[in-house]
Each structure stands twice: as C-alpha cells, then as structure tokens.
Amino acid sequence: MGEMVVFMVCAVGAVAAGIAVFRVDSMARATFALLASFVFTGVAVLLLLDLSYLGVLIILMMVMEMLVMAVFMIMYMMNPAGLTPMAMVHNRRGALAVSVAVFTALAAGIWLVPWPEAGAAPPPDPTESLGAALMGSHMLVMVVVGMVLFATMVAAVVLATDRGRYDRYGDDLRRGAADAPVRKGVGR
C-alpha cells in the first residue's frame, strides 16, 4: 500500500510538472518545472526500485543540469524570469503531431518489442554491478571529460563576456554610474 502511494504521488507529480513546462510563461520557471519532474522520477527510482545509486545519480545530474541552464539563462536571456510573458511552445500543431507520434511509437514498443528474458540470476549487489557496467574501466576518462567540459563552459563564459563588472567600474566600486561605451547600456 505504501509503495502504491509513493508511486501515485511521484507519477502525478512528474506528469504535472511536465505539463507545467509547457504552461508557464518563463524559461526559468519551465526549467525548474522540468527539474521537479525529473526529481519525482528519481525519487520513484530511488524508493520503489531500491536502486539508490541510480536514483541519486538521476537527481544529482538533473539538479546540476538545470542549474547550469538557469545560470546561462539569467546571464544571457533578456527575459529569464518571465517579467514579460512569452509563449513556451512554438508551432503548436506541429509539436502536437510530433508528440503524439513519438508517444504512440514508444507505447507500441512496450508490446511489440520482444523483450529479452533474464537467463542468469540477479547479481548480489545490483548497485555495484550497475556502476561497473556504466563506468567500468572508463572512470578516469569520465572524470577527465567532466573537467574538460567544465573548463570549456567557464572559458566560453569568459570569452563571451569580455567586459565584466570590474572592467566597467574600475577600482572604485562605489561609483554611481558605470563606464559603458554603448548608449543605453549599463551606464545609460
């Protein structure tokens, strides 16, 4: 009974948050709605399937991914918080047709695909086996790739914003107006 309640709460929460992604009028709100949907999915995997490693991995990955997306939106978008309402769905009919077609294909796959049957007994520690299957001997490569990606993101931000706060204000951070060469910029 308890598992059914957890499943229902997580399922309803994930679907509701997924619907909210297309109903809110802000990129930031859509990002956090998508994050909530993924967190509900991760909690269900964590609690119902007893796969703590995979559940925590899903939640941590989605939290970091959505936060990076929110940081980039706040830095570069003109309307990150939805102060001016904007439509989050473009080409509604086309998007609806593609969505229905993809959902139908995936749902049909549940019954039409011949699922393999497990021939061997389950491993004694599924979490360790899953971690070894995902990473295996490539753990060092994954760590290096992660550091390279992070360094690339930082370098992209630095190169894209050549004028930072220190460059505009100089040594005196108490100045009233920034030294902005572009009219209607920071200095106005």
Side-chain angles (χ1 to χ4, degrees):
M1 181 63 185
E3 291 183 353
M4 181 60 71
V5 171
V6 172
F7 173 76
M8 293 300 293
V9 169
C10 290
V12 171
V15 172
I19 292 172
V21 171
F22 300 100
R23 300 298 300 171
V24 296
D25 57 357
S26 154
M27 289 292 289
R29 292 178 186 137
T31 299
F32 288 112
L34 186 60
L35 172 61
S37 180
F38 285 132
V39 168
F40 277 118
T41 304
V43 168
V45 170
L46 178 68
L47 296 179
L48 298 178
L49 299 180
D50 199 22
L51 295 174
S52 56
Y53 174 77
L54 188 59
V56 171
L57 186 67
I58 290 173
I59 293 172
L60 289 179
M61 282 178 54
M62 292 304 123
V63 166
M64 290 306 297
E65 183 178 317
M66 295 302 144
L67 288 180
V68 168
M69 188 184 304
V71 167
F72 274 89
M73 278 188 298
I74 291 171
M75 284 193 307
Y76 295 112
M77 291 191 67
M78 295 177 64
N79 182 27
L83 299 176
T84 304
M86 59 184 288
M88 300 301 296
V89 179
H90 306 285
N91 188 9
R92 290 179 183 267
R93 291 182 181 169
L96 183 62
V98 170
S99 300
V100 169
V102 170
F103 177 79
T104 303
L106 292 176
I110 295 173
W111 290 281
L112 299 179
V113 172
W115 296 97
E117 295 183 14
D125 189 356
T127 302
E128 182 180 353
S129 300
L130 179 62
L134 290 176
M135 299 295 180
S137 61
H138 306 293
M139 178 63 78
L140 180 62
V141 175
M142 296 297 288
V143 170
V144 172
V145 168
M147 294 174 64
V148 169
L149 286 175
F150 180 71
T152 303
M153 290 169 54
V154 172
V157 171
V158 170
L159 292 175
T161 57
D162 57 341
R163 299 189 75 234
R165 177 181 171 82
Y166 183 80
D167 189 28
R168 294 193 310 267
Y169 285 92
D171 291 332
D172 187 9
L173 296 180
R174 293 173 296 179
R175 286 179 47 185
D179 181 22
V182 180
R183 292 179 53 85
K184 296 185 179 180
V186 178
R188 297 187 190 248

